[in-house]
Amino acid sequence: MAQVYLNGDFLPPEAARISPWDRGFLFGDGVYEVIPVYRGRPFLGEAHLDRLHRSLAAIDLAVPAIPWQEIFPKLIGPAPRDCALYLQITRGTYATRDHRLPEVVRPTVFAFTWDLTPPPKCGVSGITREDFRWDRCDIKSIALLGNVLLRQSATEAQAQEALLFRKGWLTEGSSSNVFAVLEGKLCTPPKSRRLLSGITRALVLQLAEQAGLPCEEREIHQEELAKAEEIWITSSTREVLPLIQLDGKPVGAGQIGPWWRQMDQWFQQYKQKWLAAHD
Ligand code: PDD
């Protein structure tokens, strides 16, 4: 496996060590990012770093400037490979366990890559679940136990994602945002503290708007979603992925729909243009 980055050093993964007193380990006190890398280029890297800074500000964690532009190429390596870049910053290691925030912060900065396999070009299945996570899902927190348990419930149901609802209203997926084609409009829940403002979600909205596709950021009820013509999930590692089954029932015609085919084409075209501009 490629080297990892830990607090200024590049190390083989087995040589990387953190203290059990790290607040990330004890409290889940930290934030993270996942950036897709295509042909060696961190795709929409600036947008991801902006969101990382917003997450840091939201948890009141002031970190000295980190030279990501020097770190990324070393982690990715010289080959133009496709991978995912993971960045994590925790509030660091202190001598004791104390809920109160420390006055002097020595953050732990960790980053690594893994090979990215292209998302399947076939439809996948989803299930619906009550969203029992906290009320600050806009922060990309490393405290992901709720997301992990919800994703596991999907896995146990032989599904690829759990779509989450608060009192009947759609928020997002356990590790993705959700879009639905409803009465001839592409719809997604509006940004709020109940969902992560996805970088892929923003790009899909931008592409739809540029093409003049009718689209709307609005609340979506569970009963309405059950009648959607198409449902997609979006994330940096899964791009735009169509759901063709929800809770064991077909979504729309139970096949990949025409709206997804069009969006996937725009998405791939945008990616290629972006890569050409960043070569
Ligand atoms: N997760 N919502 C949640 C809860 C997520 O975990 C993710 C992505 C998204 C989509 O955001 P973006 O388009 O910026 O990747 C929405 C990453 C990929 C992860 O945790 O691995």
Side-chain angles (χ1 to χ4, degrees), residues 30-129:
V31 295
Y32 78 107
E33 269 303 321
V34 177
I35 311 178
V37 174
Y38 301 116
R39 299 206 302 261
R41 302 274 176 280
F43 182 57
L44 307 176
E46 292 302 320
H48 283 274
L49 291 179
D50 284 351
R51 186 173 63 188
L52 181 64
H53 291 131
R54 289 202 300 278
S55 295
L56 286 167
I59 67 161
D60 219 356
L61 177 48
V63 173
I66 299 167
W68 294 121
Q69 302 315 332
E70 290 162 33
I71 297 169
F72 289 172
K74 286 195 190 155
L75 286 177
I76 296 164
R81 68 181 179 123
D82 288 358
C83 63
L85 250 176
Y86 179 89
L87 320 177
Q88 171 170 318
I89 304 179
T90 76
R91 213 178 301 267
T93 296
Y94 301 88
T96 183
R97 179 179 179 275
D98 186 343
H99 283 70
R100 291 172 302 176
L101 298 187
E103 272 169 25
V104 181
V105 174
R106 289 171 280 124
T108 301
V109 183
F110 177 54
F112 70 99
T113 62
W114 71 88
D115 287 334
L116 200 57
T117 40
K121 293 276 177 204
C122 61
V124 299
S125 319
I127 56 166
T128 57
R129 285 289 179 272

Side-chain angles (χ1 to χ4, degrees), residues 128-133 163-173 178 182 188-190 192 194-195 218-225:
T128 57
R129 285 289 179 272
E130 183 62 26
D131 190 349
F132 54 67
R133 302 171 303 158
L163 306 195
L164 309 179
F165 298 84
R166 285 193 197 253
K167 296 193 178 127
W169 297 96
L170 178 65
T171 56
E172 60 179 345
V178 182
L182 299 165
T188 193
S192 76
R194 296 186 302 277
L195 57 98
R218 67 151 168 98
E219 302 295 351
I220 299 170
H221 197 269
Q222 190 159 359
E223 285 169 16
E224 212 183 348
L225 193 73

